[in-house]
Amino acid sequence: MHPAFSVIFFTVASGAGFGLFALLYLADLLQLGGGLSRQQVSVGGAIALVLIIAGLLSSVGHLANPKNAWRAFSRWRTSWLSREGVFAVTFFPFAFGYVGLSFLDLGLEGLLLTLGALATLLAWVTVFSTSMIYACLKTIRQWNTPLVPANYLALGHYTGALILMLIANQGEVDRAPYYFLVLAFLVAAAFLKGLYYFWIGSPVAASTIHTATGFTRAQVKLFDAGHTHGTFLTQEFGFQIARRWALALRIFVFLAGFVIPFVWLVQAGPEVSGGAVVALIALLGVLAERWLFFAEARHVVNLYHGAQRC
């Protein structure tokens, strides 16, 4: 599949924003490390909202006709894309209420925690809906797996936890719980990503030119594609990446996304410093991961344009 930067930025930025908001609320609810100050909660919530809004604006730019984006909301019963939009829009009133009350510090704890709980629930459902846009497509084997929602949720919370740790480091709270929170999500995200790469590398369930045509007793090969120029199908669904470049990018994903942050965290311990640089490196790794997620996906329509296997 053609990897569009607008969609890559949207999924990475909004995933980190929703993950940060959910973890921020849970840290506030459980008074993690002695409890974040109201100022830290409002700053963290504002950063999460900025990331989510930037991601959503980027996704609107990806639409062929952005002025008709409102029509997508009417298909929420059958479309994961529509559900994603509905849940994302519904999230904002509760999230703004939670961040606003945290900033004003009016002492309305019951209302504050209720708004935060509803916004957190909607944040999780929105990220899940985003992942299901891809996971529900049976025509793309690399996406049609429960590992896709698991990866989206794990990476969103991992990048959100990194930002939350940076916020916690600016206050007087005990940093250890935030440190171990990042380590836990880092290990979980790395394990799920490795499992996903192992699964898509398995040829067992791949579609082939034989399964597409029904001819199984001889070698089938396309003589002529039927067109002399690229089409929408070949441009959007026929993106190819050389195997050696895919391997090099996978190595970069693990080095930048997981190995370097892990080594830095283990060496630095809970009293970490310089975390902004490592968080930036991890985000670069996640951006590369998301680019590969699209570039390595092979739609079965490629079997009718010369591919032997998808």
Side-chain angles (χ1 to χ4, degrees), residues 28-49:
D28 188 26
L29 176 68
L30 302 174
Q31 292 294 292
L32 205 63
L36 296 168
S37 67
R38 283 291 136 218
Q39 183 182 11
Q40 284 177 300
V41 172
S42 56
V43 169
I47 293 173
L49 289 171

Side-chain angles (χ1 to χ4, degrees), residues 7-17 51 156 159 283 286-287 289-290:
V7 178
I8 293 169
F9 178 79
F10 157 62
T11 54
V12 172
S14 64
L51 286 171
T159 48
L283 284 172
V286 176
L287 281 170
E289 179 276 334
R290 204 50 52 86

Side-chain angles (χ1 to χ4, degrees), residues 108-124:
L108 303 173
E109 291 300 319
L111 178 60
L112 184 73
L113 294 178
T114 302
L115 291 173
L118 292 171
T120 297
L121 182 62
L122 288 165
W124 285 330

Side-chain angles (χ1 to χ4, degrees), residues 60-270:
V60 172
H62 180 68
L63 298 175
N65 199 347
K67 70 179 182 181
N68 290 331
W70 62 272
R71 294 180 184 276
F73 293 93
S74 64
R75 300 287 185 265
W76 61 274
R77 292 183 179 179
T78 56
S79 167
W80 283 106
L81 177 64
S82 180
R83 290 168 190 158
E84 174 201 46
V86 171
F87 289 131
V89 170
T90 310
F91 161 84
F92 282 110
F94 300 109
F96 274 115
Y98 175 73
V99 176
L101 286 179
S102 296
F103 176 75
L104 296 174
D105 196 13
L106 299 176
L108 303 173
E109 291 300 319
L111 178 60
L112 184 73
L113 294 178
T114 302
L115 291 173
L118 292 171
T120 297
L121 182 62
L122 288 165
W124 285 330
V125 175
T126 304
V127 176
F128 179 75
S129 298
T130 301
S131 65
M132 284 305 296
I133 294 172
Y134 310 105
C136 72
L137 297 177
K138 295 182 179 179
T139 51
I140 303 177
R141 186 182 74 89
Q142 292 81 2
W143 289 354
N144 188 220
T145 166
L147 288 171
V148 169
N151 272 281
Y152 267 66
L153 286 166
L155 286 170
H157 283 80
Y158 165 48
T159 48
L162 275 171
I163 301 172
L164 179 62
M165 187 179 67
L166 298 179
I167 296 169
N169 287 348
Q170 305 305 315
E172 302 298 328
V173 297
D174 180 8
R175 300 178 183 183
Y178 299 90
Y179 169 81
F180 288 113
L181 189 69
V182 175
L183 275 178
F185 277 114
L186 187 156
V187 172
F191 173 76
L192 288 170
K193 196 70 244 180
L195 191 62
Y196 172 79
Y197 284 146
F198 175 79
W199 183 82
I200 66 170
S202 170
V204 176
S207 298
T208 67
I209 189 69
H210 298 94
T211 60
T213 60
F215 298 116
T216 58
R217 296 190 177 183
Q219 181 65 32
V220 178
K221 187 175 182 181
L222 184 70
F223 285 151
D224 194 340
H227 49 79
T228 58
H229 195 274
T231 66
F232 174 80
L233 293 178
T234 58
Q235 290 171 1
E236 290 296 320
F237 300 153
F239 186 86
Q240 294 187 22
I241 177 173
R243 183 173 297 179
R244 65 177 185 279
W245 291 116
L247 178 61
L249 273 175
R250 286 186 183 185
I251 293 172
F252 177 79
V253 167
F254 272 87
L255 280 177
F258 307 119
V259 175
I260 292 175
F262 181 80
V263 171
W264 170 76
L265 284 167
V266 171
Q267 288 185 340

